[in-house]
Amino acid sequence: AKAAGRDQLATFDRNLREQRRATAATVERLRGAVARDELLVHYQPLVRLADEHLVGVEALIRWQPAGQQMIPPDQFIPSAEDSGLIVPIGAWVLRRSCEVVSEWHRRHGAVVSVNVSPRQLREPDFATQVLDALKASALPPAALILEITEGVLVNSGVVTEQAIRHLTTLREQGVRVAVDDFGTGYSSLAYLRDLPIDHIKIDKSFMPAPGTPDPAARTMVKAIIDLASGLELGTIAEGVETREQVELLRELGCERAQGYYFARPLPEAEAAELLARAGRS
Ligand code: C2E
Ligand code: CA
Ligand code: CA
Ligand code: CA
């Protein structure tokens, strides 16, 4: 039994070493990707549930190495975070998406949601970077939503002051803050009342399974929406894939939604086309 345990430990150790090596290799490739301009941003439409009008987009990063398949963010964002590369990459996504959506804002009133990693909010000049991106693109602050996860604000029960200061500064200028993947983290609910946030994004894992009544999921979604509206926070549902889910969310008073039912994340030109078409109807 002892030998088997040692064997397991050795295997575990080897896996860990391989994993680290894979990460180091990814970091090197990613550094090259930034230099070669292989990163791009796709835009997923965001819909207002009351009238199903397109009101904005979420910016989602993509990595397209020359002559290869697109690499999804889940496969490189963790390495970018560990290595700190997320700081320049995140700043680039912010500048790029403010610039692109600035025109969509002028033409169609569109807003943009941008994901911000915890590592970015630890930079002393994060708020300045955001305000500079807004100024350079002429996008009004109120047309920008920053998406953060629960862990950004509260880490092991401790409120992270630097992040709070940045978000407070930005909200004073009109920028909005959304808590992404709400309900999947480990923080307490108490923070919702006191922290500088405007919207809650209901994680896609809470969507009722298609084709079933799924009363448990329904109860959870209702509880999250009621909690948010009681605290005067906006609600955005993600991962909406069916008509049933749309009807349920509207019935429960959710304000906005995004998901494959409406549209997948789209390349810039296709998102622009969709916005133009929606604007004419
Ligand atoms: P997220 O912020 O929760 O983004 C939503 C993810 O759900 C996106 O995956 C989107 O393509 C996917 N999705 C949208 N609609 C549906 C649907 O109806 N059903 C299902 N099953 N999925 C749907 P994506 O683009 O692969 O991004 C994955 C994650 O990578 C994001 O999750 C976010 O955490 C991270 N990410 C993406 N772009 C950035 C970025 O610029 N900066 C940072 N820090 N993280 C990013
Ligand atoms: Ca997000
Ligand atoms: Ca999310
Ligand atoms: Ca997520």
Side-chain angles (χ1 to χ4, degrees):
K2 222 174 186 175
R6 247 196 325 267
D7 260 12
Q8 261 175 16
L9 211 66
T11 309
F12 176 74
D13 218 49
R14 193 164 350 102
N15 287 344
L16 206 66
R17 254 182 289 134
E18 272 162 18
Q19 215 177 314
R20 284 216 190 98
R21 221 169 20 229
T23 308
T26 308
V27 170
E28 271 327 296
R29 287 182 61 212
L30 194 53
R31 228 184 274 285
V34 174
R36 286 188 301 272
D37 249 356
E38 291 174 353
L39 299 179
L40 62 158
V41 181
H42 279 187
Y43 300 89
Q44 184 175 38
L46 184 64
V47 168
R48 180 169 57 212
L49 283 166
D51 53 9
E52 289 176 43
H53 265 64
L54 223 159
V55 291
V57 290
E58 177 175 1
L60 293 158
I61 196 169
R62 297 290 181 264
W63 177 6
Q64 176 67 78
Q68 283 175 60
Q69 273 210 331
M70 188 112 71
I71 304 172
D74 289 335
Q75 283 175 36
F76 65 89
I77 292 286
S79 304
E81 274 173 358
D82 291 348
S83 62
L85 271 178
I86 193 67
V87 172
I89 291 175
W92 175 80
V93 170
L94 194 66
R95 281 197 311 274
R96 177 80 197 146
S97 46
C98 285
E99 205 176 284
V100 166
V101 177
S102 178
E103 191 189 329
W104 300 347
H105 178 76
R106 281 195 300 276
R107 293 190 182 182
H108 317 291
V111 302
V112 62
S113 230
V114 179
N115 293 285
V116 176
S117 97
R119 186 69 179 67
Q120 288 174 270
L121 274 151
R122 278 196 257 126
E123 292 294 297
D125 68 342
F126 176 74
T128 312
Q129 282 178 31
V130 175
L131 295 173
D132 286 350
L134 288 168
K135 220 175 285 158
S137 62
L139 183 73
L144 175 65
I145 303 168
L146 298 176
E147 297 196 4
I148 59 166
T149 48
E150 296 171 50
V152 164
L153 299 174
V154 186
N155 202 339
S156 324
V158 180
V159 172
T160 36
E161 295 296 342
Q162 170 82 291
I164 304 287
R165 273 197 302 275
H166 283 321
L167 296 177
T168 305
T169 304
L170 291 166
R171 285 178 83 235
E172 281 166 5
Q173 301 298 313
V175 174
R176 301 275 171 255
V177 178
V179 178
D180 204 355
D181 303 340
F182 181 76
T184 62
Y186 300 96
S187 345
S188 87
L189 285 179
Y191 77 96
L192 276 184
R193 191 188 48 208
D194 305 319
L195 295 178
I197 58 176
D198 303 279
H199 306 286
I200 285 175
K201 283 194 91 167
I202 306 167
D203 190 68
K204 50 179 169 278
S205 59
F206 292 108
M207 280 310 108
T212 71
D214 206 345
R218 201 191 154 92
T219 301
M220 306 268 274
V221 172
K222 181 175 186 320
I224 296 172
I225 294 170
D226 289 348
L227 176 68
S229 61
L231 294 170
E232 298 182 322
L233 299 170
T235 40
I236 306 163
E238 63 174 28
V240 178
E241 296 182 354
T242 66
R243 185 69 221 166
E244 283 172 281
Q245 292 170 343
V246 173
E247 301 293 349
L248 172 69
L249 290 163
R250 188 170 32 204
E251 193 184 305
L252 295 178
C254 184
E255 287 170 359
R256 296 174 180 184
Q258 62 185 94
Y260 300 160
Y261 175 76
F262 298 110
R264 291 189 172 253
L266 301 168
E268 185 187 317
E270 284 175 47
E273 215 172 284
L274 190 69
L275 276 159
R277 247 188 293 136
R280 273 200 300 274
S281 63

